[in-house]
Amino acid sequence: MTKFTKIISSGSYLPKKVLTNKELESRVDTSDEWITERTGIKERRVADDSETSVDLAYNAAIDAIKKSGINKNDIGAIFLATCTPERKFPSTAVLLQNKLDIKDAFSFDINAACTGFVYALDIAKKYIESGQIKYALVVGTEKITSLLDWTDRNTCVLFGDGSGAMILAASEKPGIISSTIGSDGSYKDLLTVNTDLEYIEMKGSDVFKTAVNTLGKLAKHTLEDNNVGNDELDWLVPHQANERIILAIAKKINLPREKIIITVNKHGNTSAASIPLAFDEANSKGIFKQGDMIMLEAFGAGFTWGSILFRY
Ligand code: UT7
């Protein structure tokens, strides 16, 4: 039985169209100043009508496969996190598998809203460590702007589209050290897309408070349970919803700003795509070194939450 799982590459894709805070000022009663101060967001990307979450995922997946150096036919499974599937069924994962022309694999979607990518990594790790597969393609992809009410300033300024991917492989050495996921459905109405409305509705400040509390505790426990001092943590790659949430969590674990990857200013909240997008942006710049200790953590609708601690 394989003992460990390693992240061997990452890839990402952003749609071309940039939507700035300034442009949003002409749509709703908001200002660049308010959005920047309250969230850290300056701009986000918006997919055009012809692009679906599968197209975004395809570009990110091709990028990750190319950088991994493996043959795409070595991929045993595709775990795809999204809450904006192209179709109700077949799954976005299966549509991606078809577009990538991978035959000998199984694929399925995971919907844990903004925590989806962490859930997908947790599942991929378990399949790899059971010996069932050797390589997994893990993708987060969202056309989340398709769920926005462009007249609601509480939500329309926050989100953006994109996709990120990783290739995971069986390994003799760690790799992923710990993986934790959780959920509590009693918060179902604080952040939701109701089937009859089809738009994101959010009680922003309640979500904010619970996110800071939950992620603060999760980050602390993830480090403590694995005997990793916060000075031994090289990088935090958090879900990118709001810069104030990210900095509040970093404060709780005494992590300096220089060790945190922040991309929310350029991407907005891309839901399940946010962590792999942030990771790949930093990775492409050569910021992560082999052996670095990295923590990913996310919080989303449900509520759902999760963390992954690994050596790169
Ligand atoms: O990814 C999944 C998890 N999602 C999140 O983590 C999002 C969590 N929530 C947040 O990031 C923040 O709560 C928001 C950025 C959504 C809002 O920031 P806030 O500091 O919690 O503001 P608020 O909701 O308490 O609203 C403050 C004021 C309100 O006006 P009144 O009632 O005080 O007069 C809002 O109507 O700001 C107003 N407001 C806006 N003003 C200008 C809300 N949206 C806007 C806007 N432009 N876009």
Side-chain angles (χ1 to χ4, degrees):
M1 210 160 88
T2 312
K3 279 188 78 181
F4 299 108
T5 305
K6 241 181 144 41
I7 294 167
I8 61 167
S9 74
S10 64
S12 63
Y13 177 76
L14 287 164
K16 300 247 159 355
K17 189 185 166 11
V18 176
L19 179 63
T20 62
N21 291 350
K22 275 268 163 247
E23 285 171 88
L24 281 166
E25 286 179 359
S26 61
R27 295 196 190 191
V28 283
D29 181 15
T30 191
S31 64
D32 175 33
E33 195 189 353
W34 190 95
I35 302 170
T36 308
E37 252 174 36
R38 309 309 294 164
T39 71
I41 301 168
K42 293 298 281 182
E43 60 184 44
R44 71 288 291 142
R45 300 296 180 100
V46 180
D48 67 35
D49 290 346
S50 67
E51 267 179 317
T52 73
S53 51
V54 176
D55 301 318
L56 306 181
Y58 175 77
N59 289 308
I62 289 285
D63 189 25
I65 293 168
K66 211 186 301 164
K67 290 181 197 154
S68 73
I70 68 163
N71 184 314
K72 67 176 184 184
N73 292 312
D74 292 334
I75 293 168
I78 301 173
F79 304 102
L80 184 144
T82 191
C83 48
T84 48
E86 182 182 303
R87 303 183 187 186
K88 288 224 158 78
F89 64 80
S91 69
T92 305
V94 164
L95 299 177
L96 174 63
Q97 180 183 354
N98 180 56
K99 209 170 161 91
L100 288 168
D101 192 25
I102 294 175
K103 299 280 182 237
D104 196 12
F106 63 90
S107 313
F108 59 84
D109 284 5
I110 294 116
N111 181 349
C114 298
T115 317
F117 191 77
V118 171
Y119 271 56
L121 286 177
D122 180 80
I123 295 165
K125 171 183 187 293
K126 286 175 173 129
Y127 271 104
I128 288 175
E129 290 172 17
S130 75
Q132 195 169 330
I133 56 169
K134 205 165 161 212
Y135 294 101
L137 167 62
V138 183
V139 185
T141 187
E142 300 284 12
K143 191 176 176 177
I144 199 91
T145 60
S146 65
L147 297 177
L148 293 178
D149 172 357
W150 290 102
T151 65
D152 177 13
R153 70 174 185 176
N154 291 298
T155 52
C156 79
V157 304
L158 303 174
F159 295 91
D161 300 329
S163 181
M166 289 180 181
I167 298 288
L168 270 58
S171 159
E172 294 308 316
K173 285 193 290 185
I176 297 178
I177 295 162
S178 96
S179 168
T180 307
I181 56 173
S183 61
D184 182 346
S186 65
Y187 294 100
K188 63 185 172 18
D189 296 322
L190 294 186
L191 176 51
T192 184
V193 178
N194 243 308
T195 41
D196 42 344
L197 203 61
E198 295 281 342
Y199 290 135
I200 294 176
E201 297 174 274
M202 177 167 73
K203 303 255 185 311
S205 59
D206 293 336
V207 178
F208 188 103
K209 281 177 221 146
T210 318
V212 171
N213 279 334
T214 309
L215 287 179
K217 278 189 211 137
L218 180 64
K220 204 162 164 280
H221 288 150
T222 301
L223 294 176
E224 278 172 10
D225 294 351
N226 294 287
N227 295 315
V228 175
N230 45 2
D231 52 329
E232 291 171 78
L233 186 66
D234 295 299
W235 300 102
L236 174 67
V237 187
H239 170 50
Q240 310 282 321
N242 184 321
E243 188 172 28
R244 288 190 295 137
I245 296 180
I246 295 172
L247 296 179
I249 294 155
K251 199 169 165 201
K252 284 181 187 252
I253 55 166
N254 270 323
L255 202 68
R257 167 70 185 85
E258 309 79 71
K259 290 186 169 190
I260 312 162
I261 305 299
I262 299 183
T263 53
V264 68
N265 54 325
K266 284 190 287 182
H267 300 167
N269 181 349
T270 58
S271 183
S274 96
I275 287 179
L277 264 171
F279 183 86
D280 187 59
E281 184 167 306
N283 202 19
S284 301
K285 290 183 189 147
I287 286 175
F288 305 131
K289 304 280 172 281
Q290 288 291 317
D292 274 0
M293 182 72 82
I294 304 177
M295 181 160 62
L296 316 177
E297 58 160 23
F299 182 87
F303 290 137
T304 55
W305 57 86
S307 71
I308 302 277
L309 185 69
F310 66 101
R311 271 207 189 280
Y312 190 49

